[in-house]
Amino acid sequence: MGRLLIFSAPSGSGKTTIVRRLMERFPRLEFSVSATSRPPRGEEVNGRDYHFMSPEKFRQLIDSQAFVEWEEVYLGTCYGTLRSEIESIWARGNVCVFDVDVVGGVRLKQIFGDRAMSFFIEAPSVDELRKRLVGRGTDSAESIEKRLAKASEEMLRAPEFDHIIVNDNLDRAVDEVALLVRRFIDR
Ligand code: ADP
Ligand code: 5GP
């Protein structure tokens, strides 16, 4: 039976960093590459970070029911999980790893139930979140404000996840997640 690991967090909490570290430890984890209607940013590579596409192409995929879930995460920018992506990961005998926004994470857990384990990654404070977003250096000041405005609303949904991980000390957070993942995939 195919399994899934879901990671959601307010942007800047360290979710991507944690997921990358985790994937180095568990060779059976395979990242589910989402589709997005936004253009690539920085070093992002098509097919590795996202399937980048035009808003028109994204719309076509919605119409052909290609998505398990999709969402307009930021105004004018859509992201979605492709059904075909999950199926090919399971066909290789691997565990799907999702990096999705909070609404998408709750939705995927509802769809897949016990086949999924969901994690909410939290920064210790909103101030720290701002520092991390500034320090990451990938977003404009406007984009950072947009992400922070969304964060407080997202944090209210943390209790809907199986596990809440406070990413204060990175090594400790990765160890905590790894222990839970080990139990889940060996179950
Ligand atoms: P997300 O995927 O949640 O948006 P990232 O993984 O990109 O967040 O992390 C945001 C920034 O914070 C990155 O520059 C990352 O190196 C840094 N970071 C991650 N975890 C920690 C931590 N525990 N302490 C300090 N900085 C961190
Ligand atoms: P970014 O533009 O920073 O890469 O991502 C913006 C947000 O979209 C992040 O919170 C990310 O988790 C979310 N996201 C990425 N892929 C998906 C997806 O397939 N579905 C949903 N619902 N959100 C996604």
Side-chain angles (χ1 to χ4, degrees):
M1 188 180 76
R3 302 269 176 91
L4 311 92
L5 293 170
I6 303 163
F7 294 87
S8 300
S11 180
S13 308
K15 174 188 50 169
T16 309
T17 311
I18 291 177
V19 168
R20 286 208 184 120
R21 292 265 202 109
L22 204 66
M23 294 187 63
E24 285 164 12
R25 292 201 198 178
F26 296 92
R28 273 188 62 215
L29 303 192
E30 191 173 338
F31 188 66
S32 165
V33 180
S34 294
T36 181
S37 66
R38 77 156 167 78
R41 192 173 66 198
E43 306 283 292
E44 286 176 335
V45 173
N46 188 32
R48 183 193 71 187
D49 299 287
Y50 283 108
H51 299 293
F52 294 99
M53 58 187 67
S54 65
E56 293 70 31
K57 174 71 186 167
F58 199 97
R59 172 58 54 192
Q60 271 173 23
L61 291 177
I62 295 172
D63 292 344
S64 62
Q65 320 258 312
F67 293 113
V68 175
E69 62 81 38
W70 70 272
E71 227 188 307
E72 186 172 348
V73 177
Y74 300 109
L75 195 65
T77 308
C78 293
Y79 298 82
T81 304
L82 293 162
R83 206 176 297 282
S84 57
E85 189 77 17
I86 301 182
E87 279 160 9
S88 44
I89 291 173
W90 284 346
R92 288 189 282 273
N94 288 336
V95 176
C96 290
V97 176
F98 292 91
D99 171 340
V100 292
D101 89 314
V102 172
V103 176
V106 169
R107 181 93 195 92
L108 285 169
K109 175 68 189 178
Q110 278 167 350
I111 296 169
F112 292 101
D114 287 347
R115 300 173 80 171
M117 181 174 269
S118 64
F119 293 89
F120 187 89
I121 312 291
E122 222 170 54
S125 67
V126 176
D127 266 0
E128 175 63 21
L129 201 58
R130 182 188 300 274
K131 261 192 226 151
R132 288 185 192 174
L133 285 170
V134 172
R136 188 168 71 183
T138 52
D139 293 85
S140 65
E142 188 197 344
S143 161
I144 290 177
E145 289 316 313
K146 217 157 71 167
R147 283 159 198 266
L148 287 171
K150 210 171 168 207
S152 26
E153 170 194 320
E154 289 171 330
M155 285 202 241
L156 297 174
R157 304 204 65 175
E160 295 175 60
F161 286 74
D162 293 325
H163 303 285
I164 300 175
I165 309 292
V166 179
N167 176 23
D168 187 353
N169 176 299
L170 181 61
D171 289 332
R172 209 171 45 218
V174 173
D175 283 345
E176 197 181 333
V177 174
L179 194 67
L180 292 160
V181 166
R182 166 63 61 213
R183 283 196 210 132
F184 177 68
I185 62 180
D186 287 347
R187 197 168 73 186

